[in-house]
Amino acid sequence: MITKFDSLFAGHTDVENIGYGGTPINDRLYDNKHLSSALWKAQAIAQKMDGLGYNTFWMAEHHFQREGTECIPNVLMMALHLTHMTRNLNIGCGFNVTPMWHPLRLAEDYAMADILSHGRVVFGVARGYHTREVETFGSPLIDQDANRELFEEQVDIIFKAFNSESFSHKGKHYTLPPEVPYRGYTLKELTLVPRPERLPVECWQPIQGGTERAMEFMAKHGIQGMVGGGSAEGGAMHNVVLKWQAAHKKFGKDIDLGERLCFGYHFYMGDSKEQCLRDAAKYYEENMKMFGELRLVRALSEEQIEIMRDPKRAPTAKLPRIEEAVKAGGFLTGSADEIIEHLMKLEKAYPGLDRVSISPSLGVPQSVILEQVERFAKEVMPAFKGRVSLKEPALAK
């Protein structure tokens, strides 16, 4: 049953002239003051959520996004700041893009955040999806096999560092430590200083393609999965949930359908579904313009992506529309009663599900986000009264 409500904010600034008829994504270019406003926007959202009963505010790591789309380059630094500006809210790394880090630097930084926040910063890892980011930092992304191989070795190292008093590692990409002379002896082992105070570390990872290899890797490490929201297909992908359960079974972990998952939705609330569809269409379309260019919307053809670059052709072209996303279950919208009904049905279908994340689409301005998260908390979450909890989620069995 659903007991935790989260929200994910990838770090977009308030942008103008949005939707299929608005400014093409690659034509947007903002100055530093505007791009920096994403940090204060994140703070405003977190402060609004604090005390409303939300469990976790998630942010995404991104770099060089001069278009104003994803402008928080260090979510651990931002998360620690937000724990000082809030009182109850957990702050989640949704997600640290591991191939852009040395794994031991990431492990150290999280350990410090865990200690200094008294456990309110939640760890997360991902492989990345922007070539401009990952390849610039010297790691592969175009070569997906190389990216996956590097990511898996890095995560293995991170968990070894978290969970061991001392450790060593020899793999394709890293030999840790190097066997060098140190204080009169040859270095053979390392100790992460400091290690996280709370062990085992709660860790999350997005589920994008839903491959068996990815889910078995997550199950092995006890990593929990976020389905939908951001760049991923929204809502409950039933085949993914079944494969997730099967992956845990291989490691001797019997879990219910939906357990150890968070279902993420873009959302927009209003007095009726019809009104929401009218008001939120431009936000949905701006989100599609951004992620379509990155080839993360599987249903889009190259011709459709090319059309979205032309604000004269795009509004009347055959392109994805918000009505289709709502019908498919990836975009949560309507009145409070309609949203509650949807979530109650979700609970029945997935009895192990205890967490849902609602996220603003790209292009939603700060004032609207603040109104929306407050409205959701006051009109939807009371239907789950007595269940909503700020306690930390259960770790791997």
Short mmCIF file of all heavy atoms in Angstrom, two decimals, residues 138-185:
data_model
loop_
_atom_site.label_atom_id
_atom_site.label_comp_id
_atom_site.label_asym_id
_atom_site.label_seq_id
_atom_site.Cartn_x
_atom_site.Cartn_y
_atom_site.Cartn_z
N GLY A 138 34.98 12.31 -20.25
CA GLY A 138 35.94 11.28 -20.60
C GLY A 138 35.44 9.86 -20.47
O GLY A 138 36.23 8.92 -20.51
N SER A 139 34.13 9.67 -20.34
CA SER A 139 33.56 8.33 -20.23
C SER A 139 32.68 8.03 -21.43
O SER A 139 32.17 8.95 -22.08
CB SER A 139 32.75 8.19 -18.94
OG SER A 139 33.59 8.26 -17.81
N PRO A 140 32.47 6.75 -21.74
CA PRO A 140 31.67 6.41 -22.92
C PRO A 140 30.17 6.51 -22.65
O PRO A 140 29.70 6.21 -21.55
CB PRO A 140 32.07 4.95 -23.19
CG PRO A 140 32.41 4.41 -21.83
CD PRO A 140 33.04 5.55 -21.10
N LEU A 141 29.42 6.91 -23.66
CA LEU A 141 27.96 6.84 -23.63
C LEU A 141 27.43 6.39 -24.99
O LEU A 141 26.51 5.58 -25.05
CB LEU A 141 27.34 8.19 -23.26
CG LEU A 141 25.82 8.17 -23.12
CD1 LEU A 141 25.38 7.22 -22.00
CD2 LEU A 141 25.25 9.56 -22.87
N ILE A 142 28.04 6.89 -26.07
CA ILE A 142 27.63 6.43 -27.40
C ILE A 142 27.79 4.91 -27.48
O ILE A 142 26.92 4.21 -28.00
CB ILE A 142 28.45 7.14 -28.50
CG1 ILE A 142 28.14 8.65 -28.48
CG2 ILE A 142 28.15 6.54 -29.87
CD1 ILE A 142 29.03 9.46 -29.39
N ASP A 143 28.88 4.41 -26.95
CA ASP A 143 29.09 2.96 -26.84
C ASP A 143 28.38 2.50 -25.57
O ASP A 143 28.93 2.55 -24.48
CB ASP A 143 30.58 2.65 -26.78
CG ASP A 143 30.88 1.15 -26.80
OD1 ASP A 143 29.98 0.36 -26.43
OD2 ASP A 143 32.00 0.77 -27.14
N GLN A 144 27.14 2.05 -25.72
CA GLN A 144 26.32 1.68 -24.58
C GLN A 144 26.87 0.48 -23.81
O GLN A 144 26.76 0.42 -22.59
CB GLN A 144 24.89 1.40 -25.03
CG GLN A 144 24.08 2.65 -25.31
CD GLN A 144 23.63 3.35 -24.03
OE1 GLN A 144 22.86 2.81 -23.26
NE2 GLN A 144 24.16 4.55 -23.80
N ASP A 145 27.46 -0.45 -24.51
CA ASP A 145 28.05 -1.61 -23.82
C ASP A 145 29.20 -1.18 -22.94
O ASP A 145 29.34 -1.65 -21.79
CB ASP A 145 28.52 -2.66 -24.84
CG ASP A 145 27.37 -3.35 -25.56
OD1 ASP A 145 26.24 -3.33 -25.02
OD2 ASP A 145 27.59 -3.89 -26.65
N ALA A 146 30.05 -0.28 -23.44
CA ALA A 146 31.17 0.21 -22.65
C ALA A 146 30.67 1.03 -21.46
O ALA A 146 31.23 0.95 -20.36
CB ALA A 146 32.10 1.05 -23.52
N ASN A 147 29.63 1.81 -21.68
CA ASN A 147 29.05 2.59 -20.60
C ASN A 147 28.52 1.68 -19.49
O ASN A 147 28.77 1.91 -18.30
CB ASN A 147 27.93 3.48 -21.15
CG ASN A 147 27.16 4.22 -20.08
OD1 ASN A 147 26.18 3.72 -19.53
ND2 ASN A 147 27.58 5.44 -19.76
N ARG A 148 27.79 0.66 -19.87
CA ARG A 148 27.23 -0.28 -18.89
C ARG A 148 28.35 -0.99 -18.13
O ARG A 148 28.30 -1.14 -16.91
CB ARG A 148 26.34 -1.30 -19.60
CG ARG A 148 25.99 -2.55 -18.83
CD ARG A 148 25.12 -2.29 -17.63
NE ARG A 148 23.79 -1.86 -17.99
CZ ARG A 148 22.87 -1.49 -17.10
NH1 ARG A 148 23.16 -1.48 -15.81
NH2 ARG A 148 21.67 -1.09 -17.49
N GLU A 149 29.37 -1.42 -18.84
CA GLU A 149 30.49 -2.13 -18.21
C GLU A 149 31.20 -1.25 -17.19
O GLU A 149 31.50 -1.68 -16.07
CB GLU A 149 31.47 -2.58 -19.29
CG GLU A 149 32.66 -3.36 -18.81
CD GLU A 149 33.60 -3.70 -19.95
OE1 GLU A 149 34.28 -2.77 -20.44
OE2 GLU A 149 33.63 -4.87 -20.37
N LEU A 150 31.46 0.01 -17.57
CA LEU A 150 32.11 0.94 -16.66
C LEU A 150 31.23 1.20 -15.44
O LEU A 150 31.70 1.16 -14.29
CB LEU A 150 32.41 2.26 -17.38
CG LEU A 150 32.94 3.40 -16.51
CD1 LEU A 150 34.29 3.03 -15.89
CD2 LEU A 150 33.05 4.69 -17.32
N PHE A 151 29.96 1.47 -15.66
CA PHE A 151 29.02 1.75 -14.58
C PHE A 151 28.97 0.61 -13.57
O PHE A 151 29.03 0.84 -12.36
CB PHE A 151 27.63 2.00 -15.18
CG PHE A 151 26.51 2.05 -14.18
CD1 PHE A 151 26.26 3.20 -13.46
CD2 PHE A 151 25.70 0.94 -13.95
CE1 PHE A 151 25.22 3.26 -12.54
CE2 PHE A 151 24.67 0.98 -13.03
CZ PHE A 151 24.44 2.15 -12.31
N GLU A 152 28.87 -0.61 -14.06
CA GLU A 152 28.76 -1.75 -13.15
C GLU A 152 30.01 -1.90 -12.29
O GLU A 152 29.92 -2.20 -11.10
CB GLU A 152 28.46 -3.02 -13.94
CG GLU A 152 27.05 -3.04 -14.52
CD GLU A 152 26.73 -4.32 -15.27
OE1 GLU A 152 27.68 -5.10 -15.53
OE2 GLU A 152 25.55 -4.53 -15.60
N GLU A 153 31.19 -1.72 -12.90
CA GLU A 153 32.41 -1.82 -12.10
C GLU A 153 32.47 -0.71 -11.06
O GLU A 153 32.87 -0.93 -9.91
CB GLU A 153 33.65 -1.77 -13.00
CG GLU A 153 34.94 -2.00 -12.21
CD GLU A 153 36.19 -2.10 -13.07
OE1 GLU A 153 36.06 -2.23 -14.31
OE2 GLU A 153 37.30 -2.03 -12.50
N GLN A 154 32.05 0.50 -11.45
CA GLN A 154 32.06 1.62 -10.50
C GLN A 154 31.14 1.36 -9.31
O GLN A 154 31.50 1.61 -8.16
CB GLN A 154 31.64 2.90 -11.22
CG GLN A 154 32.68 3.41 -12.21
CD GLN A 154 32.18 4.64 -12.94
OE1 GLN A 154 31.02 4.70 -13.36
NE2 GLN A 154 33.04 5.64 -13.09
N VAL A 155 29.94 0.86 -9.59
CA VAL A 155 28.99 0.61 -8.50
C VAL A 155 29.49 -0.52 -7.61
O VAL A 155 29.34 -0.48 -6.38
CB VAL A 155 27.59 0.32 -9.07
CG1 VAL A 155 26.62 -0.10 -7.95
CG2 VAL A 155 27.05 1.55 -9.78
N ASP A 156 30.10 -1.54 -8.20
CA ASP A 156 30.71 -2.60 -7.39
C ASP A 156 31.72 -2.00 -6.41
O ASP A 156 31.76 -2.36 -5.22
CB ASP A 156 31.42 -3.61 -8.29
CG ASP A 156 30.47 -4.56 -9.00
OD1 ASP A 156 29.32 -4.70 -8.55
OD2 ASP A 156 30.88 -5.16 -10.02
N ILE A 157 32.54 -1.07 -6.89
CA ILE A 157 33.56 -0.44 -6.05
C ILE A 157 32.90 0.39 -4.95
O ILE A 157 33.31 0.34 -3.78
CB ILE A 157 34.48 0.46 -6.91
CG1 ILE A 157 35.35 -0.41 -7.82
CG2 ILE A 157 35.37 1.34 -6.03
CD1 ILE A 157 36.07 0.36 -8.91
N ILE A 158 31.88 1.14 -5.30
CA ILE A 158 31.21 2.00 -4.32
C ILE A 158 30.64 1.18 -3.18
O ILE A 158 30.83 1.51 -1.99
CB ILE A 158 30.10 2.83 -5.01
CG1 ILE A 158 30.72 3.90 -5.91
CG2 ILE A 158 29.17 3.46 -3.98
CD1 ILE A 158 29.74 4.60 -6.82
N PHE A 159 29.96 0.09 -3.49
CA PHE A 159 29.37 -0.72 -2.42
C PHE A 159 30.44 -1.47 -1.62
O PHE A 159 30.29 -1.68 -0.42
CB PHE A 159 28.32 -1.68 -2.99
CG PHE A 159 26.99 -1.01 -3.16
CD1 PHE A 159 26.65 -0.41 -4.36
CD2 PHE A 159 26.08 -0.96 -2.12
CE1 PHE A 159 25.42 0.22 -4.52
CE2 PHE A 159 24.86 -0.33 -2.26
CZ PHE A 159 24.52 0.27 -3.46
N LYS A 160 31.52 -1.85 -2.29
CA LYS A 160 32.62 -2.47 -1.55
C LYS A 160 33.21 -1.47 -0.56
O LYS A 160 33.51 -1.81 0.60
CB LYS A 160 33.69 -2.93 -2.55
CG LYS A 160 34.75 -3.84 -1.96
CD LYS A 160 35.75 -4.27 -3.04
CE LYS A 160 35.16 -5.21 -4.05
NZ LYS A 160 36.19 -5.74 -4.99
N ALA A 161 33.35 -0.22 -0.99
CA ALA A 161 33.89 0.82 -0.11
C ALA A 161 32.93 1.13 1.03
O ALA A 161 33.36 1.37 2.17
CB ALA A 161 34.19 2.08 -0.92
N PHE A 162 31.64 1.17 0.74
CA PHE A 162 30.65 1.43 1.79
C PHE A 162 30.67 0.35 2.87
O PHE A 162 30.60 0.64 4.06
CB PHE A 162 29.24 1.46 1.19
CG PHE A 162 28.86 2.73 0.47
CD1 PHE A 162 27.78 2.72 -0.42
CD2 PHE A 162 29.55 3.91 0.66
CE1 PHE A 162 27.40 3.88 -1.08
CE2 PHE A 162 29.19 5.07 -0.01
CZ PHE A 162 28.11 5.05 -0.88
N ASN A 163 30.74 -0.91 2.45
CA ASN A 163 30.43 -2.02 3.34
C ASN A 163 31.64 -2.71 3.96
O ASN A 163 31.46 -3.59 4.80
CB ASN A 163 29.60 -3.06 2.57
CG ASN A 163 28.25 -2.50 2.12
OD1 ASN A 163 27.61 -1.76 2.87
ND2 ASN A 163 27.83 -2.85 0.91
N SER A 164 32.85 -2.31 3.58
CA SER A 164 34.05 -3.00 4.07
C SER A 164 34.91 -2.07 4.91
O SER A 164 35.12 -0.91 4.56
CB SER A 164 34.88 -3.51 2.89
OG SER A 164 34.10 -4.30 2.01
N GLU A 165 35.43 -2.61 6.00
CA GLU A 165 36.38 -1.84 6.81
C GLU A 165 37.62 -1.49 5.99
O GLU A 165 38.20 -0.41 6.13
CB GLU A 165 36.77 -2.63 8.05
CG GLU A 165 35.67 -2.78 9.08
CD GLU A 165 35.45 -1.50 9.89
OE1 GLU A 165 36.23 -0.54 9.72
OE2 GLU A 165 34.49 -1.47 10.68
N SER A 166 38.04 -2.42 5.17
CA SER A 166 39.12 -2.17 4.21
C SER A 166 38.84 -3.02 2.99
O SER A 166 38.15 -4.04 3.06
CB SER A 166 40.48 -2.51 4.81
OG SER A 166 40.54 -3.87 5.17
N PHE A 167 39.35 -2.61 1.83
CA PHE A 167 39.01 -3.29 0.59
C PHE A 167 40.10 -3.08 -0.44
O PHE A 167 40.96 -2.20 -0.32
CB PHE A 167 37.68 -2.77 0.04
CG PHE A 167 37.74 -1.35 -0.47
CD1 PHE A 167 37.98 -1.08 -1.80
CD2 PHE A 167 37.60 -0.29 0.41
CE1 PHE A 167 38.06 0.23 -2.26
CE2 PHE A 167 37.69 1.02 -0.03
CZ PHE A 167 37.91 1.28 -1.37
N SER A 168 40.04 -3.92 -1.46
CA SER A 168 40.87 -3.73 -2.65
C SER A 168 40.02 -4.13 -3.85
O SER A 168 38.98 -4.79 -3.71
CB SER A 168 42.14 -4.58 -2.60
OG SER A 168 41.82 -5.97 -2.54
N HIS A 169 40.46 -3.73 -5.03
CA HIS A 169 39.68 -4.03 -6.24
C HIS A 169 40.62 -4.09 -7.43
O HIS A 169 41.47 -3.20 -7.61
CB HIS A 169 38.61 -2.95 -6.47
CG HIS A 169 37.90 -3.11 -7.78
ND1 HIS A 169 36.78 -3.90 -7.92
CD2 HIS A 169 38.16 -2.59 -9.01
CE1 HIS A 169 36.38 -3.85 -9.19
NE2 HIS A 169 37.20 -3.08 -9.87
N LYS A 170 40.45 -5.11 -8.23
CA LYS A 170 41.17 -5.21 -9.50
C LYS A 170 40.17 -5.54 -10.59
O LYS A 170 39.53 -6.60 -10.57
CB LYS A 170 42.27 -6.29 -9.43
CG LYS A 170 43.45 -5.90 -8.57
CD LYS A 170 44.58 -6.91 -8.66
CE LYS A 170 45.77 -6.45 -7.81
NZ LYS A 170 46.90 -7.41 -7.90
N GLY A 171 39.99 -4.62 -11.53
CA GLY A 171 39.05 -4.82 -12.61
C GLY A 171 39.60 -4.27 -13.91
O GLY A 171 40.79 -3.92 -14.01
N LYS A 172 38.74 -4.17 -14.91
CA LYS A 172 39.17 -3.69 -16.22
C LYS A 172 39.56 -2.22 -16.18
O LYS A 172 40.52 -1.79 -16.83
CB LYS A 172 38.05 -3.89 -17.25
CG LYS A 172 38.40 -3.41 -18.66
CD LYS A 172 37.31 -3.74 -19.66
CE LYS A 172 37.68 -3.26 -21.05
NZ LYS A 172 36.62 -3.58 -22.06
N HIS A 173 38.82 -1.43 -15.41
CA HIS A 173 39.01 0.02 -15.42
C HIS A 173 39.76 0.55 -14.20
O HIS A 173 40.34 1.63 -14.27
CB HIS A 173 37.65 0.72 -15.50
CG HIS A 173 36.86 0.35 -16.72
ND1 HIS A 173 37.12 0.89 -17.96
CD2 HIS A 173 35.83 -0.53 -16.89
CE1 HIS A 173 36.27 0.38 -18.85
NE2 HIS A 173 35.48 -0.48 -18.22
N TYR A 174 39.75 -0.19 -13.10
CA TYR A 174 40.34 0.31 -11.86
C TYR A 174 41.15 -0.77 -11.16
O TYR A 174 40.71 -1.93 -11.08
CB TYR A 174 39.24 0.79 -10.89
CG TYR A 174 38.39 1.92 -11.41
CD1 TYR A 174 37.19 1.65 -12.07
CD2 TYR A 174 38.79 3.25 -11.24
CE1 TYR A 174 36.40 2.69 -12.54
CE2 TYR A 174 37.99 4.29 -11.70
CZ TYR A 174 36.81 4.01 -12.36
OH TYR A 174 36.03 5.04 -12.84
N THR A 175 42.32 -0.38 -10.65
CA THR A 175 43.08 -1.19 -9.70
C THR A 175 43.23 -0.34 -8.46
O THR A 175 43.90 0.71 -8.49
CB THR A 175 44.45 -1.59 -10.25
OG1 THR A 175 44.27 -2.42 -11.41
CG2 THR A 175 45.24 -2.36 -9.21
N LEU A 176 42.57 -0.76 -7.38
CA LEU A 176 42.50 0.05 -6.17
C LEU A 176 42.89 -0.80 -4.96
O LEU A 176 42.27 -1.83 -4.72
CB LEU A 176 41.07 0.59 -5.98
CG LEU A 176 40.52 1.43 -7.13
CD1 LEU A 176 39.03 1.67 -6.93
CD2 LEU A 176 41.27 2.76 -7.21
N PRO A 177 43.89 -0.41 -4.20
CA PRO A 177 44.77 0.72 -4.50
C PRO A 177 45.87 0.30 -5.47
O PRO A 177 46.10 -0.90 -5.65
CB PRO A 177 45.36 1.04 -3.13
CG PRO A 177 45.46 -0.30 -2.48
CD PRO A 177 44.22 -1.05 -2.92
N PRO A 178 46.56 1.24 -6.07
CA PRO A 178 47.77 0.86 -6.81
C PRO A 178 48.82 0.37 -5.82
O PRO A 178 48.88 0.85 -4.68
CB PRO A 178 48.21 2.19 -7.47
CG PRO A 178 47.64 3.24 -6.56
CD PRO A 178 46.34 2.69 -6.05
N GLU A 179 49.58 -0.60 -6.21
CA GLU A 179 50.60 -1.15 -5.30
C GLU A 179 51.83 -0.24 -5.32
O GLU A 179 52.78 -0.46 -6.07
CB GLU A 179 50.94 -2.59 -5.68
CG GLU A 179 49.78 -3.55 -5.45
CD GLU A 179 50.17 -5.01 -5.52
OE1 GLU A 179 51.39 -5.29 -5.66
OE2 GLU A 179 49.28 -5.87 -5.42
N VAL A 180 51.77 0.77 -4.49
CA VAL A 180 52.85 1.76 -4.41
C VAL A 180 53.39 1.79 -2.99
O VAL A 180 52.70 1.42 -2.04
CB VAL A 180 52.34 3.16 -4.81
CG1 VAL A 180 51.91 3.18 -6.26
CG2 VAL A 180 51.18 3.61 -3.91
N PRO A 181 54.64 2.23 -2.81
CA PRO A 181 55.18 2.34 -1.45
C PRO A 181 54.48 3.46 -0.69
O PRO A 181 54.20 4.52 -1.23
CB PRO A 181 56.66 2.65 -1.68
CG PRO A 181 56.73 3.24 -3.06
CD PRO A 181 55.64 2.58 -3.84
N TYR A 182 54.18 3.17 0.60
CA TYR A 182 53.51 4.17 1.43
C TYR A 182 53.88 3.94 2.89
O TYR A 182 53.66 2.85 3.44
CB TYR A 182 51.99 4.07 1.26
CG TYR A 182 51.22 5.10 2.06
CD1 TYR A 182 51.23 6.44 1.68
CD2 TYR A 182 50.54 4.73 3.21
CE1 TYR A 182 50.55 7.39 2.42
CE2 TYR A 182 49.85 5.68 3.96
CZ TYR A 182 49.86 7.01 3.56
OH TYR A 182 49.19 7.96 4.31
N ARG A 183 54.52 4.92 3.52
CA ARG A 183 54.90 4.86 4.94
C ARG A 183 55.65 3.58 5.29
O ARG A 183 55.41 2.96 6.34
CB ARG A 183 53.67 5.01 5.83
CG ARG A 183 53.04 6.38 5.78
CD ARG A 183 51.85 6.49 6.73
NE ARG A 183 51.29 7.84 6.70
CZ ARG A 183 50.17 8.18 7.34
NH1 ARG A 183 49.50 7.27 8.04
NH2 ARG A 183 49.72 9.42 7.27
N GLY A 184 56.50 3.15 4.39
CA GLY A 184 57.36 2.02 4.68
C GLY A 184 56.79 0.67 4.34
O GLY A 184 57.40 -0.36 4.64
N TYR A 185 55.61 0.62 3.69
CA TYR A 185 55.06 -0.66 3.25
C TYR A 185 54.43 -0.49 1.87
O TYR A 185 54.25 0.64 1.38
CB TYR A 185 54.03 -1.19 4.25
CG TYR A 185 52.77 -0.35 4.42
CD1 TYR A 185 51.64 -0.58 3.65
CD2 TYR A 185 52.73 0.70 5.35
CE1 TYR A 185 50.51 0.19 3.80
CE2 TYR A 185 51.60 1.47 5.52
CZ TYR A 185 50.48 1.22 4.74
OH TYR A 185 49.35 1.99 4.89
#
